[in-house]
Amino acid sequence: MPDDAAAARDAAEEESAFSHPPVDPDAIASYGDHPDQVIDFYAPRGETTPGEPAPLIVVLHGGAWRTPYDRRHVTPFADFLARRGFAVANVEYRRGAAGGVDGAGAVGAAGGSGGSGGGAVADAASAGSAGSAGSAGTAGGGAAVAGRWPDTFDDVAAALDALPALVREALPHADARRTVLTGHSAGGHLALWAAARHLLPADAPWRIDRPAPLRGVVALAPIADFTVADKLDVCGGAARQLLGGSVEFAERQPYADPAFLLPTGIATTLVQGRTDIVVPMAVAESYADAAAKAGEVVGLTLLEDVGHFPLIDPAADACAVVVEEIAQLAW
């Protein structure tokens, strides 16, 4: 259990990260018929030459794969990336238990533009209804069940498969040949998993024949090793819940746990706060060790006096470090 000082620091960091108002995207596209199967797009601005192709950064949000926590809480981070010259795709996906209130409750009116199917692109006028902020307690526990098997994985795979065509329509100046995946917490898990789909078991429906054409992955405080995360009860047992429960955990782990899917052959960096009490650094260290045993070097950037939330907080120095790590792979 964290001590009182650590808990107070974590609460202050979380409050800062979620103090920024959501930033509406420049366009929204759907990659399926469910209201959660949408992607927000942010055009590059600021530190870029108009008309010059910009690297594409794909963002996968965190929230312990739980329903209340949607993509809107990372829109300030997505905007932060766009203002530094990147094209950004902020991916939504289904979360929570299928038997309860599903993700449509979290994204609100996003279905108005995202649920139309066929990859239709809506302009920014529709973006304001893209969902609730989903901020407080984003990586925490709560009563909500984490994830939805297999829908969460179906969506991430489908979004990335649809992304090249959607990007051509929504962000014509994005350079999809320079794509970097990033994700925070549970989203960091999904980013690592998405980069390893070519290593999935042969019967996995998400398996692809060759490595995805990525410049790299930058995973932020990722739930990267399910065995360690489960032992530490990260986010109230979220990894076990994601896979369906205790009975299914071991059976499904080879299909879902990034630590089982190595080496990827894709440049990968983990960024982790040393004082993170939400996803302790032992989880990232275990993944890096597993990669090394598989013959792959994974970068591990450990930040002093940094917890879980500053990595996606545009006001925090840690966020600038994250952008630099992304830039090293993207440019």
Side-chain angles (χ1 to χ4, degrees), residues 21-28 40-42 45 72 75 79 124-130:
V23 180
D24 290 338
D26 297 300
I28 305 174
D40 291 343
F41 291 102
Y42 295 80
R45 48 193 177 276
R72 291 289 279 174
T75 61
D79 177 66
S126 301
S129 61

Side-chain angles (χ1 to χ4, degrees), residues 39 71 122 176 306 309:
I39 303 173
R71 71 196 185 280
V306 170
F309 299 100

Side-chain angles (χ1 to χ4, degrees), residues 148-238:
R148 183 188 299 192
W149 178 277
D151 301 353
T152 299
F153 298 92
D154 287 346
D155 286 0
V156 172
L160 292 179
D161 290 346
L163 195 60
L166 297 180
V167 167
R168 285 194 293 271
E169 185 178 355
L171 294 177
H173 296 302
D175 184 356
R177 296 170 300 177
R178 291 183 289 166
T179 297
V180 174
L181 282 181
T182 190
H184 178 239
S185 195
H189 155 264
L190 292 172
L192 294 170
W193 176 84
R197 289 169 59 198
H198 59 292
L199 300 176
L200 287 168
D203 62 341
W206 316 292
R207 182 183 168 92
I208 53 180
D209 293 334
R210 58 183 62 87
L214 300 170
R215 280 289 182 91
V217 178
V218 179
L220 314 177
I223 305 177
D225 184 317
F226 279 11
T227 300
V228 175
D230 192 55
K231 288 179 179 178
L232 296 176
D233 197 32
V234 168
C235 300

